Amino acid sequence: PQDTVRVRQVVFLTDGASAGVRLMMQCMTRPKPEFNDGLLVPIPQYPLYSATLRLCNGSMVPYYLDEANDWGLSVNELARAVGEARAAGKTVRGLAVINPGNPTGQCLSEENMRDVVKFCEREGIALMADEVYQQNVYAEGKAFSSFKKVVCDLGSGVELFSFHSISKGFYGECGRRGGYMEAHNVSESFRALLFKLSSVNLCSNLNGQICM
């Protein structure tokens, strides 16, 4: 949904980061096949993305990380993937970035992240930042920066959805199913849609929310 009222920040507690990712894919992929909605997904990737896209009748638009450059994310590679997808009749609606990476372990530089944000602005696509490994950076000379920091530093209006979880470096307890999704620069009507979809669940995961 599009309207003129923008929400700078809204946070949803979720059953781990995966539930937030599934919620966003459900929103991004329209059920009618004529739309042929797609999401840019890194290769190698955590299989949550490819499997959930199948369930949502969406199309995976693969982009390949640069192994020779510490599994970096090339904007030229993103442009190639988007161009090929659109030529095949797909509507690219979002870009998924796993940073720090799973399974590659890469940690993107702020310069690289700025390029990614500007790419999303130019192409009119939303940015999904899976940042659950942010406390698990061990490579010398590497440090985590959030995509929200980069978006705010740039004053960008790109729609950003970031995900975090208690199950990695924060708490290390996968079975508790606690996490959150933060939506940034979204319309008020889209915030209402997220709330409606979240309310379909019969009850909240109290233990996970307490841990979060």
Side-chain angles (χ1 to χ4, degrees), residues 76-107:
N76 290 335
E77 170 62 11
L78 292 179
R80 178 206 61 78
V82 169
E84 290 185 4
R86 288 174 176 166
K90 296 180 182 180
T91 303
V92 182
R93 306 198 75 196
L95 163 65
V97 178
I98 307 173
N99 182 55
N102 179 9
T104 63
Q106 99 283 354
C107 188

Side-chain angles (χ1 to χ4, degrees), residues 89-157:
K90 296 180 182 180
T91 303
V92 182
R93 306 198 75 196
L95 163 65
V97 178
I98 307 173
N99 182 55
N102 179 9
T104 63
Q106 99 283 354
C107 188
L108 301 180
S109 68
E110 285 199 25
E111 180 181 5
N112 196 175
M113 294 165 73
R114 284 193 291 271
D115 290 340
V116 171
V117 170
K118 291 174 183 177
F119 173 83
C120 289
E121 283 184 327
R122 289 195 303 270
E123 300 297 331
I125 58 180
L127 175 58
M128 295 173 58
D130 183 336
E131 298 175 334
V132 301
Y133 289 98
Q134 59 188 260
Q135 277 94 6
N136 302 89
V137 179
Y138 307 109
E140 187 175 349
K142 296 285 188 178
F144 169 77
S145 292
S146 70
F147 266 102
K148 182 181 178 183
K149 177 184 184 300
V150 172
V151 166
C152 290
D153 286 350
L154 289 173
S156 171

Side-chain angles (χ1 to χ4, degrees), residues 32-120:
K32 295 183 179 179
E34 59 265 28
F35 290 122
N36 202 3
D37 291 330
L39 178 72
L40 285 154
V41 175
I43 302 296
Q45 53 112 10
Y46 179 58
L48 164 70
Y49 293 87
S50 53
T52 306
L53 275 171
R54 252 182 192 279
L55 288 173
C56 295
N57 295 315
S59 297
M60 188 172 84
V61 179
Y63 67 90
Y64 294 87
L65 301 176
D66 186 357
E67 182 178 4
N69 188 29
D70 293 329
W71 298 102
L73 200 170
S74 165
V75 171
N76 290 335
E77 170 62 11
L78 292 179
R80 178 206 61 78
V82 169
E84 290 185 4
R86 288 174 176 166
K90 296 180 182 180
T91 303
V92 182
R93 306 198 75 196
L95 163 65
V97 178
I98 307 173
N99 182 55
N102 179 9
T104 63
Q106 99 283 354
C107 188
L108 301 180
S109 68
E110 285 199 25
E111 180 181 5
N112 196 175
M113 294 165 73
R114 284 193 291 271
D115 290 340
V116 171
V117 170
K118 291 174 183 177
F119 173 83
C120 289

